[in-house]
């Protein structure tokens, strides 16, 4: 037994455990990838369609050439994910699993980044514990499996910090840090204030500890960061009416149809704080794509360990700053504080405050180690087994019960219904689509040509923050079923006895679960 414990403390054992954690995390994110959740969320459908138009026309769905921010719904959408999708769509085509690949890769790389970041400052056990806790976190598993563009933000901020730390030892990595921090601004507009705050305090800390120096890499990094931030600053000026929109062959800075003003409210800080606290306490915001009941974001007991780790990190920051020592705690506290500020200044859900969870998970892992070091070091296997059992139950629930629960919000069956509806209509014939389908799904599955879309789209509520369409190309979304065209194809939600209604009027009907496709009966 002594030999076993001695081996467990060896470098070889650590590498083996790290590999096992990566395999475990990869399996949780890759198994049935593209099928769960299925079919497709409307936001990821719009991001995917924009990747498609950017690939084939170098323009977004509103016609802007290489925009820094997508117009999408009318009030905008973060652009980074659509650009990251382009090479995958070019290689593999327009499929749900393809447009989810960037988020999957960022999720997997985040596991390695956490491990090497923590190991740089702390013990192997802490690094492995933090990586494992992130690998099995329901929040991180779930966000890695679908393509909500804002969920790229935590990963890119993590990569920015990882390379910043490496750059303090090898300055050339500061360029990569600047690139990832700068790109994170294109992942989620909500963090536009948080990221400069994180960078500023990290640089000041590095100067205080004499870890960063005046060299060419530092200045190149500053230039990279400025170059990436400048277009978004101009975007704000454009949409505040200070300057006109910018359209150049290599970049567009669009004026949105509807610009949502800052949602920051100092008056609502108490309400926003309680909302944030309830999300953390309950580990849920009530949205089915963010968490599963009974498992939360990172399992219920984890929050208690987080507070243990938080106290330790605050105390460690005081000691590190006093002694001018570079340590992980300062970076984690700054990151946590920046995310917390977002959470109390605006009304958030899990997506909108996603920046807060990686530092929470890292501190929770530290809290577990600290707590059990006081109880008995060898009892650390108790929480390990408990977490692995919880993870196993989460996986079972995710791929069985939850798979069916999430089918409705993600409109499972719409892809097959769209394909069949197209097969039953002649080119140029109208296809009438239930407005509840949400038109980005039709754009995505229909692979609608951008020029056709722009020349035929008619909106029902222009201008608006969230535009709805009457029709585009061959698809019509507002119509009177009482005057149904018996020679047309209809893609409808399967409700209110619609199936029998169409059959009674001479249509053939194909059932796709949540959807039906009614089409003219072909006479022999």
């Amino acid at each position: 037994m002594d030999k076993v414990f001695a081996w467990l403390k060896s470098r070889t054992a650590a590498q083996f455990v790290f590999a096992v954690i990566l395999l475990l995390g990869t399996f949780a994110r890759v198994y049935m990838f593209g099928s769960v959740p299925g079919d497709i969320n409307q936001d990821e459908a719009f991001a995917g369609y924009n990747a498609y138009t950017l690939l084939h026309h170098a323009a977004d769905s509103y016609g802007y050439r290489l925009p820094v921010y997508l117009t999408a719904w009318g009030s905008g959408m973060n652009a980074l994910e659509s650009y990251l999708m382009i090479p995958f769509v070019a290689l593999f085509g327009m499929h749900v699993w393809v447009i989810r690949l960037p988020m999957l890769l960022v999720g997997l790389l985040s596991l390695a980044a956490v491990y090497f970041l923590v190991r740089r400052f702390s013990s192997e056990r802490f690094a492995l514990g933090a990586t494992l806790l992130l690998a099995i976190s329901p929040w991180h598993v779930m966000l890695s499996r679908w393509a909500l563009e804002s969920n790229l933000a935590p990963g890119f901020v993590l990569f920015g910090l990882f390379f910043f730390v490496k750059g303090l030892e090898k300055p050339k990595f500061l360029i990569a840090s600047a690139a990832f921090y700068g790109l994170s601004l294109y992942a989620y507009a909500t963090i536009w204030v948080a990221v400069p705050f994180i960078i500023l305090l990290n640089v000041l800390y590095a100067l205080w500890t004499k870890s960063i120096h005046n060299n060419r890499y530092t200045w190149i990094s500053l230039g990279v960061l400025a170059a990436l931030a400048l277009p978004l600053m101009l975007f704000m000026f454009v949409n505040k009416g200070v300057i006109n929109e910018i359209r150049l062959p290599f970049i567009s800075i669009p004026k949105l149809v509807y610009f949502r003003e800052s949602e920051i409210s100092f008056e609502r800080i108490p309400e926003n704080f309680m909302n944030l606290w309830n999300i953390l306490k309950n580990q849920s915001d009530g949205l089915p794509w963010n968490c599963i009941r009974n498992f939360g974001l990172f399992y219920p007991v984890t929050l208690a360990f987080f507070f243990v780790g938080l106290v330790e990190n605050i105390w460690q920051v005081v000691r590190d700053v006093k002694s001018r020592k570079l340590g992980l705690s300062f970076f984690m506290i700054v990151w946590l504080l920046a995310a917390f500020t977002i959470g109390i200044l605006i009304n958030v859900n899990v997506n909108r405050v996603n920046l807060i969870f990686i530092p929470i998970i890292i501190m929770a892992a530290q809290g577990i180690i600290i707590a059990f070091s006081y109880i008995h070091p060898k009892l650390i296997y108790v929480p390990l087994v408990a977490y692995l059992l919880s993870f196993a139950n989460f996986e079972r629930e995710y791929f069985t019960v939850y798979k069916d629960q999430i089918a409705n919000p993600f409109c499972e069956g719409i892809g097959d219904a769209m394909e069949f509806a197209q097969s039953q209509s002649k080119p140029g014939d109208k296809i009438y689509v239930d407005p509840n389908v949400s038109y980005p799904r039709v754009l995505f599955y229909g692979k609608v040509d951008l020029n056709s879309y722009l020349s035929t789209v008619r909106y029902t509520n222009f201008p608006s923050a969230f535009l709805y369409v009457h029709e585009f190309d061959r698809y019509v979304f507002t119509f009177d079923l009482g005057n149904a065209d018996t020679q047309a194809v209809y893609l409808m939600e399967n409700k209110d006895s619609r199936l029998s209604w169409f059959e009674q009027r001479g249509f053939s009907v194909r059932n796709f679960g949540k959807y039906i496709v009614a089409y003219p009966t072909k006479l022999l």
Side-chain angles (χ1 to χ4, degrees), residues 181-472:
Y181 274 134
L183 289 172
S184 73
L185 301 172
Y186 294 83
Y188 199 19
T190 299
I191 69 171
W192 285 357
V193 176
V195 170
F197 174 81
I198 291 172
I199 295 172
L200 176 62
L201 288 187
N202 286 353
V203 170
L204 290 175
Y205 180 50
L207 290 170
W208 177 253
T209 58
K210 299 181 180 179
S211 303
I212 195 169
H213 306 285
N214 185 3
N215 55 54
R216 59 174 176 163
Y217 296 112
T218 304
W219 288 102
I220 292 172
S221 303
L222 183 61
V224 169
L225 189 61
L228 288 169
L230 179 60
L232 294 179
M233 293 175 64
L234 293 174
F235 171 79
M236 291 296 294
F237 290 146
V238 166
N239 285 278
K240 288 287 188 178
V242 178
I243 60 175
N244 294 326
E245 69 176 13
I246 299 170
R247 290 179 181 252
L248 299 172
F250 55 88
I251 192 173
S252 294
I253 300 178
K255 185 172 180 61
L256 301 178
V257 174
Y258 185 98
F259 184 60
R260 285 178 283 177
E261 296 291 337
S262 173
E263 297 173 298
I264 291 175
S265 172
F266 292 97
E267 292 80 9
R268 292 187 56 83
I269 285 178
E271 293 92 334
N272 291 337
F273 171 79
M274 288 307 302
N275 176 58
L276 175 61
W277 168 242
N278 285 329
I279 290 174
L280 295 177
K281 180 186 67 174
N282 301 324
Q283 295 194 35
S284 172
D285 59 2
L287 298 174
W289 44 82
N290 286 331
C291 60
I292 299 178
R293 186 180 177 183
N294 299 326
F295 297 97
L297 302 170
F298 31 75
Y299 309 105
V301 71
T302 305
L303 193 62
F305 291 120
F306 158 68
F307 284 114
V308 175
L310 177 62
V311 171
E312 171 63 23
N313 275 269
I314 292 173
W315 176 235
Q316 188 61 50
V317 166
V318 174
R319 288 181 291 183
D320 288 346
V321 170
K322 281 185 176 180
S323 62
R324 292 184 179 242
K325 177 185 175 184
L326 195 71
L328 179 63
S329 294
F330 185 92
F331 297 119
M332 289 297 100
I333 291 295
V334 167
W335 185 347
L336 183 72
L337 183 60
F340 175 78
T341 303
I342 293 173
I344 63 172
L345 289 180
I346 64 174
N347 185 39
V348 298
N349 57 23
V350 168
N351 301 328
R352 303 187 80 187
V353 76
N354 55 22
L355 202 63
I356 204 170
F357 299 119
I358 288 179
I360 283 179
I361 288 170
I362 291 174
M363 290 184 193
Q366 188 175 13
I368 293 170
I369 293 171
I370 292 171
F372 280 87
S373 68
Y374 281 107
I375 300 170
H376 196 291
K378 290 185 179 180
L379 288 180
I380 193 67
Y381 297 105
V382 172
L384 174 62
V385 172
Y387 271 106
L388 289 176
L389 288 175
S390 297
F391 172 65
N393 284 326
F394 162 73
E395 287 287 282
R396 178 187 56 79
E397 181 94 358
Y398 184 86
F399 291 109
T400 54
V401 176
Y402 178 77
K403 177 180 180 293
D404 297 330
Q405 291 174 344
I406 200 63
N408 186 61
F410 273 67
C411 298
E412 189 170 38
I414 186 59
D416 292 336
M418 273 289 300
E419 182 179 356
F420 183 76
Q422 290 171 316
S423 72
Q424 295 302 312
S425 64
K426 298 175 183 177
D429 287 353
K430 295 293 185 183
I431 298 176
Y432 294 90
V433 183
D434 194 313
N436 291 329
V437 168
S438 188
Y439 71 94
R441 294 186 175 98
V442 177
L443 289 170
F444 177 85
Y445 283 116
K447 300 182 181 68
V448 178
D449 178 72
L450 177 62
N451 292 324
S452 175
Y453 173 66
L454 292 175
S455 62
T456 58
V457 64
R458 291 171 57 201
Y459 298 104
T460 62
N461 62 335
F462 187 93
S464 177
F466 297 97
L467 297 169
Y468 295 96
V469 299
H470 165 59
E471 65 178 342
F472 58 77

Side-chain angles (χ1 to χ4, degrees), residues 128-200:
L128 291 171
T131 308
L132 175 62
L133 205 55
L134 185 64
I136 65 174
S137 160
W139 163 73
H140 201 259
V141 170
M142 292 170 73
L143 74 80
S144 298
R145 297 182 60 92
W146 68 292
L148 183 64
E149 88 283 1
S150 60
N151 280 335
L152 286 173
F156 272 74
V157 171
L158 172 64
F159 301 152
L161 176 58
F162 172 77
F163 283 108
F164 180 79
V165 170
K166 286 192 70 68
L168 298 181
E169 299 173 344
K170 297 180 179 179
K172 63 181 180 181
F173 286 109
L174 290 175
I175 300 173
S177 174
F180 279 111
Y181 274 134
L183 289 172
S184 73
L185 301 172
Y186 294 83
Y188 199 19
T190 299
I191 69 171
W192 285 357
V193 176
V195 170
F197 174 81
I198 291 172
I199 295 172
L200 176 62

